[in-house]
Amino acid sequence: ISVLENAKTGVLAVIGENGYPYPVPMNFAYLDGKIYLHSANTGHKIDAIRKNDKVSFLVIDKDDVIEDKLTTAYRSVVVFGRARLISDDREKLVLIRRFALKYSKNMPAIQADIDENFSSLSLIEIIPEHITGKEGMEIIKNS
């Protein structure tokens, strides 16, 4: 959970055209046990979510190669869940403000950006069904 709360970028994987996985890196916010992503109203990931709401989301928290030991100190989290496009404007407005505050504390700039882009903004909510994490032995040994 701390990885989800603190990381800034993850990779959303949706089921794309012809059944191929379609991964895309995205900024996100973990709020109230759910993951939120913002996007344009149109595009491949939006189309894919409308067709199939099953998604996964990967966050790599640490990925440090230790050359002399021929290993990697790593920590990652994978979330499996269902995606929903938030359609209620009030809900979307409250959540996009909270999302933006993760990346900036400049409320006037946040509000100006929201005012300018709100109508073309989609907000994606991932409701986790299963969360798994993995941490390399090099991190465990040094904890």
Side-chain angles (χ1 to χ4, degrees), residues 8 27 49 58 116 124:
K8 293 184 174 30
N27 292 123
I49 289 169
L58 164 70
E116 182 179 340
I124 302 164

Side-chain angles (χ1 to χ4, degrees), residues 50-113:
R50 285 189 173 121
K51 288 180 186 171
N52 188 333
D53 68 345
K54 289 183 179 179
V55 300
S56 61
F57 191 73
L58 164 70
V59 177
I60 298 172
D61 179 57
K62 193 166 189 60
D63 180 25
D64 298 330
V65 173
I66 305 170
E67 290 183 37
D68 60 329
K69 293 185 179 182
L70 302 175
T71 191
T72 303
Y74 64 89
R75 183 183 302 119
S76 62
V77 173
V78 178
V79 176
F80 300 89
R82 302 285 180 141
R84 153 178 107 92
L85 300 173
I86 295 178
S87 58
D88 181 80
D89 281 348
R90 285 183 216 208
E91 181 183 15
K92 186 167 79 168
L93 182 60
V94 167
L95 289 166
I96 198 62
R97 283 184 180 139
R98 290 181 66 198
F99 180 106
L101 285 168
K102 177 178 179 177
Y103 296 92
S104 172
K105 301 302 181 214
N106 184 339
M107 202 55 205
I110 290 170
Q111 191 58 53
D113 192 63

Side-chain angles (χ1 to χ4, degrees), residues 1-8 28-30 35 57 59 77 79 102 128 131:
I1 297 302
S2 68
V3 169
L4 294 173
E5 290 172 338
N6 295 305
K8 293 184 174 30
F28 75 99
Y30 183 75
I35 294 170
F57 191 73
V59 177
V77 173
V79 176
K102 177 178 179 177
I131 300 174

